[in-house]
């Protein structure tokens, strides 16, 4: 794993970058998406997609199962800490939120969500486009605390993180191939990207200006996807066609975000290359202090997730050596690695694209 020294170096680079570019330093973080960034909103809605029980949260401060689908913190938590905003990002639906919680940002994300309406039809989780309604409610509450002008400034200076799309492909195209009857894979990618484009435009219209959009991970390397494809557990390996699909989607996403940035005045829209960061970890685990990449820490690690990963399910002895906590979701150690990669990739490179003479 990257060391805490690297974490401090990245923090210094980000602070220096934003200040030298005369950009406002983010004082709040706003998060949209799926289980990779849901810090507990599903606790407060009627759905089976919950992670508010052990062994989830075993390594979270206080050993609290907060609803995060991991053993500890997620990327937004690490990024918020990296930027000096706060140590963890609370879910917007938490009824105990303080004014300070609201001023420094929240997560609107919902585990199991996606861009396609079909993705949430059965689970009843909050579709990404519907998370906009939560954001609008947040803006109303923010204005009641600090007034309209300051609320606008907080929103315009916030860092927005968007992470979704994996569930759309897994639920609707691979494991339950409903959309395969309507679309080719390329057409379905375009369908999802059109919805993502509308979402980002709406967030921009509501005042956000700095938006980081995560690409897809190597979906074919998720333990569950390997289990579904390969009957023999000893012959499991990454599903290459699913990884190729993710790469093709990401290529289109990068192109789309560059086009949007050019069309939306004063916007900073950044692509977060989660795919390359995670595939590097999976292919060279020992380099980063990991050992196990093909199964999760919870239970057998082959199929367990959500309610199948529960208080009576045994877990591995060394959590930090596993890339995945359950058969779908990364461990806290992996999320920290991804957050550090996001810091290096998204902030210095993208924010300095017109200021390369500074270093």
């Amino acid at each position: 794993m990257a060391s805490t020294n690297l974490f401090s170096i990245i923090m210094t680079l980000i602070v220096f970058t934003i200040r030298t570019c005369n950009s406002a330093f983010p004082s709040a973080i706003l998060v949209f998406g799926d289980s990779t960034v849901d810090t507990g909103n599903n606790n407060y809605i009627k759905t089976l997609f919950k992670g508010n029980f052990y062994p989830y949260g075993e390594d979270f401060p206080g050993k609290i199962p907060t609803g995060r689908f991991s053993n500890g913190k997620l990327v937004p938590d690490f990024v918020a800490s990296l930027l000096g905003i706060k140590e963890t990002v609370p879910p917007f639906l938490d009824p105990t939120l303080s004014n300070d919680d609201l001023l420094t940002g929240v997560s609107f994300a919902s585990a199991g969500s996606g861009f396609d309406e079909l993705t949430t039809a059965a689970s009843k989780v909050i579709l990404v486009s519907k998370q906009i309604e939560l954001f609008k409610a947040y803006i109303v509450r923010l204005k009641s605390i600090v007034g309209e002008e300051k609320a606008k400034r907080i929103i315009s200076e916030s860092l927005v993180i968007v992470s979704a799309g994996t569930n759309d492909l897994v639920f609707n195209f691979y494991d339950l191939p409903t959309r395969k009857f309507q679309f080719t894979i390329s057409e379905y990618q375009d369908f999802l990207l059109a919805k993502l484009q509308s979402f980002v435009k709406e967030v921009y219209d509501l005042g956000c200006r700095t938006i980081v959009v995560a690409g897809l991970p190597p979906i074919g390397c998720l333990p569950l996807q390997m289990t579904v494809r390969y009957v023999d557990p000893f012959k499991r390996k990454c599903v290459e066609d699913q990884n190729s699909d993710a790469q093709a989607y990401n290529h289109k996403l990068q192109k789309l975000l560059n086009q949007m940035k050019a069309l939306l005045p004063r916007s900073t829209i950044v692509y977060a290359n989660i795919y390359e960061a995670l595939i590097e970890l999976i292919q060279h685990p020992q380099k980063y202090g990991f050992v196990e990449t093909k199964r999760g820490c919870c239970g057998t690690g082959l199929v367990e997730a959500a309610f199948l990963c529960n208080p009576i399910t045994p877990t591995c002895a060394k959590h930090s050596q596993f890339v995945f906590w359950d058969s779908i979701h990364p461990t806290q150690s992996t999320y920290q690695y991804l957050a550090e990669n996001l810091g290096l990739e998204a902030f210095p490179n993208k924010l300095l694209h017109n200021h390369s003479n500074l270093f």
Side-chain angles (χ1 to χ4, degrees), residues 11-178:
M11 176 61 184
T12 303
L13 279 171
I14 292 172
V15 173
F16 179 76
T17 296
I18 295 175
R19 286 177 178 169
T20 50
C21 289
N22 296 318
S23 299
F25 193 81
S27 59
I29 183 169
L30 304 171
V31 186
F32 302 87
D34 56 24
S35 58
T36 57
V37 289
D38 177 7
T39 58
N41 283 306
N42 279 17
N43 297 349
Y44 307 101
I45 62 175
K46 292 182 179 179
T47 180
L48 292 176
F49 283 56
K50 295 181 187 289
N52 57 346
F53 45 81
Y54 291 115
Y56 293 108
E58 278 193 0
D59 298 306
F60 193 83
K63 296 186 177 295
I64 302 170
T66 60
R68 290 167 172 82
F69 280 82
S70 186
N71 57 313
K73 295 181 179 182
L74 308 182
V75 165
D77 300 312
F78 287 115
V79 171
S81 177
L82 185 70
L83 294 173
I85 297 172
K86 52 187 170 184
E87 289 304 305
T88 58
V89 180
F92 176 66
L93 293 181
D94 183 348
T96 67
L97 285 179
S98 67
N99 286 351
D100 185 61
D101 288 328
L102 292 168
L103 291 175
T104 51
V106 294
S107 174
F108 306 99
S110 178
S113 187
F115 297 109
D116 185 351
E117 291 84 354
L118 189 59
T119 302
T120 61
S123 64
K124 305 303 180 184
V125 301
I126 309 166
L127 189 69
V128 172
S129 61
K130 298 297 183 183
Q131 292 169 25
I132 288 288
E133 299 307 313
L134 298 182
F135 182 37
K136 289 177 180 177
Y138 166 83
I139 293 173
V140 171
R141 291 178 65 179
L142 193 62
K143 288 179 179 179
S144 71
I145 298 169
V146 297
E148 185 165 353
E149 288 306 311
K150 187 170 181 181
K152 285 182 179 178
R153 186 166 68 252
I154 289 171
I155 292 165
S156 68
E157 295 175 358
S158 293
L159 171 66
V160 176
I161 294 177
V162 183
S163 177
T166 299
N167 291 326
D168 296 310
L169 286 167
V170 170
F171 293 164
N172 306 326
F173 212 86
Y174 298 140
D175 298 356
L176 299 171
T178 311

Side-chain angles (χ1 to χ4, degrees), residues 204-266:
Y204 173 87
D205 288 341
L206 288 168
C208 300
R209 291 296 178 266
T210 303
I211 305 168
V212 176
V213 181
L216 293 178
I219 295 174
C221 292
L222 300 180
L224 180 62
Q225 293 309 100
M226 291 191 283
T227 301
V228 170
R229 177 63 64 92
Y230 299 102
V231 176
D232 187 340
F234 297 103
K235 294 183 178 180
R236 293 164 68 256
K237 61 181 180 179
C238 292
V239 184
E240 291 306 323
D241 59 311
Q242 294 182 12
N243 283 354
S244 296
D245 291 343
Q247 288 177 299
Y249 173 95
N250 289 342
H251 179 74
K252 292 180 179 181
L253 174 60
Q254 285 180 273
K255 185 177 180 181
L256 173 63
L257 296 180
N258 286 334
Q259 292 171 346
M260 293 192 71
K261 183 178 177 180
L263 293 173
L264 300 177
R266 297 182 299 280

